[in-house]
Amino acid sequence: MRYISTRGTAPVLSFEDAMLSGLARDGGLYVPESWPRLNAAQIAGFAGQSYEDVAFQVMRPFIGDTFTDAEFQDLITKAYASFGHSARCPLVQLAPNHFVLELFHGPTLAFKDVAMQLIGQMFQHALSRAGRRVAIVGATSGDTGSAAIEAFQNLDAVDVFIMYPHGRVSEVQRRQMTTPSAANVHALAVDGDFDDCQARLKDMFNDLEFRDRVGLAGVNSINWARVLAQVVYYFTSAVALGAPHRSVSFTVPTGNFGDIFAGYVAQRMGLPIERLVIATNQNDILHRTLQTGDHTKGAVVPSISPSMDIQVSSNFERLLFDVYDREAAAVTQLMTALRDEGGFTLSQGALTRLREGFASGRVSEAETSAQIAATLKATGVLLCPHSAVGVRIAEDQVQTATPMITLATAHPAKFPDAVEAATGVRPALPDRMGDLFDRPERLTRLPNDLAALQAYVTKHLP
Ligand SMILES: *Cc1c(COP(=O)(O)O)cnc(C)c1O
């Protein structure tokens, strides 16, 4: 399988090179040249298999000869050994025909671990084999950074620099980034919001001299390998509820559009997904886009679901690429307008195609809190605020014919203040996180300034 850029002018790469480089050199995102298909018999065969075995079969067509089968199986096994649940991503029923898929049993309690734990293994294997070393720089609204630091700490082929918006992540998120003591990880508190952090990251990738000099690599959700790892749980959960013999729908709390794009990939691969529902908080650019075709950036408004406080949804570019018939020139024009004019309007044809597979909804802060309380009362399940946004929207979409699966993207204990305010119950951290609040923190505060951030990275490479 070869990988092409959504902007059409970057070199075509193997899986290994697409994974190690992250953003394409023309500013675009890598996507597979074509979508591999699994037939119904193959999908039906996943029933009853372990998460790891399904993961191998779903991802195998995408990785080419980057790893042998035995190597790839071994990397998958190591990646998920740290999970606190033997099913890895278990399903829990909330109501007739409505289920939540718990994606938070990894080491940092959010779904980002599912991909990041595997990427850590794949990076280490590919780099050490090549005798190479890279500088991973990431921007995070909280969960990606902690997952990356957890996955890459102490690996000897990488240094990790994570930029997060100062004062805008939860205390658990911050401590997960600032308490690991490995010398190869750096938590950078930037004076700005998440979109600023993400913009500086893109600036670093677009500074080709800097990029080559430091061996820059990205593990944000723009990295194709992350999207790929997330495709797996769409298959395991859908098959558990009867796919491919019946269709399922998914509701996905959405920020950067990585997680829900993985659902779209599963659908393209042949999984019968009827609907993918985009759930947003008050930062609702994607909901507005689906309703009106107008994709205009607003200002980011902080919320109790901070991992979705985003106005620039990077992975949406990958969907636009398909919706515009893989015309790189059309995508480039849209993305240029987004950067220079703050937005664009979808063509009528593109909007119609988008609405064929996707629906959307927006949830206010008050509705999010009310949903956490209502779900606790009705089911005994405590949701994190992001998952509650999803459940709120999914409830309006549940149909008798098709099971609805809402992705529970984080553990409630990762956002204890919001959960306690909504329910009066303070969710406890799982035992394995034990002493998080007692460990010393280590971070560097930096301005929202490209030169200052680049200087820090350069100075802290070995
Ligand atoms: C990252 C994250 C999201 C948003 O996922 P995207 O892939 O960016 O759309 C939602 N909820 C939680 C808890 C997250 O960490």
Side-chain angles (χ1 to χ4, degrees), residues 110-112 143 253-259 307-308 386 409-410 415:
F111 84 88
K112 306 292 196 298
D143 293 332
T254 294
N256 225 346
F257 210 75
D259 208 4
S307 303
M308 297 155 66
H386 310 76
T409 50
F415 304 92

Side-chain angles (χ1 to χ4, degrees), residues 280-461:
T280 75
N281 65 22
Q282 56 196 343
N283 297 289
D284 63 349
I285 182 168
L286 290 168
H287 176 56
R288 282 186 279 121
T289 303
L290 231 82
Q291 300 307 301
T292 66
D294 174 30
H295 190 80
T296 301
K297 278 189 272 185
V300 174
V301 183
S303 79
I304 57 171
S305 44
S307 303
M308 297 155 66
D309 291 347
I310 288 175
Q311 290 283 338
V312 179
S313 269
S314 295
N315 277 290
F316 194 55
E317 179 169 347
R318 287 190 159 112
L319 183 63
L320 289 174
F321 187 60
D322 270 15
V323 165
Y324 278 83
D325 286 324
R326 302 204 140 204
E327 289 280 349
V331 172
T332 305
Q333 208 173 20
L334 296 175
M335 299 323 290
T336 305
L338 183 63
R339 190 194 59 203
D340 297 344
E341 290 144 43
F344 56 79
T345 304
L346 289 176
S347 72
Q348 197 53 50
L351 184 57
T352 303
R353 293 180 66 178
L354 198 61
R355 287 175 178 161
E356 278 163 14
F358 290 85
S360 68
R362 168 201 206 271
V363 177
S364 71
E365 294 287 274
E367 288 169 323
T368 306
S369 298
Q371 188 64 53
I372 298 173
T375 300
L376 179 65
K377 185 152 179 265
T379 67
V381 173
L382 204 48
L383 298 170
C384 90
H386 310 76
S387 311
V389 167
V391 166
R392 173 75 194 78
I393 289 167
E395 283 192 348
D396 296 337
Q397 301 265 346
V398 176
Q399 298 163 347
T400 46
T402 312
M404 173 62 79
I405 301 171
T406 299
L407 273 48
T409 50
H411 190 289
K414 205 157 185 185
F415 304 92
D417 296 340
V419 173
E420 184 174 14
T423 62
V425 179
R426 190 153 184 94
L429 285 172
D431 288 346
R432 63 201 152 88
M433 310 287 308
D435 63 344
L436 186 66
F437 285 88
D438 304 327
R439 293 181 223 150
E441 293 191 74
R442 190 170 56 99
L443 63 94
T444 305
R445 191 158 165 194
L446 288 169
N448 172 24
D449 175 70
L450 179 62
L453 292 161
Q454 287 179 321
Y456 183 92
V457 171
T458 305
K459 191 166 161 223
H460 290 86
L461 291 176

Side-chain angles (χ1 to χ4, degrees), residues 126-175:
L127 290 168
S128 60
R129 166 176 80 190
R132 279 180 63 191
R133 194 181 174 87
V134 295
I136 290 172
V137 182
T140 186
S141 53
D143 293 332
T144 297
S146 49
I149 285 176
E150 185 68 37
F152 287 91
Q153 61 176 333
N154 297 317
L155 297 184
D156 53 21
V158 292
D159 294 286
V160 182
F161 302 86
I162 298 297
M163 302 182 277
Y164 67 89
H166 177 70
R168 296 197 188 201
V169 299
S170 81
E171 185 173 5
V172 174
Q173 288 177 318
R174 191 191 70 237
R175 286 183 167 275

Side-chain angles (χ1 to χ4, degrees), residues 178-203:
T178 59
T179 58
S181 58
N184 72 326
V185 299
H186 305 266
L188 308 180
V190 174
D191 288 313
D193 60 26
F194 170 67
D195 285 344
D196 292 323
C197 295
Q198 187 162 249
R200 297 298 78 73
L201 179 66
K202 284 198 172 174
D203 292 344

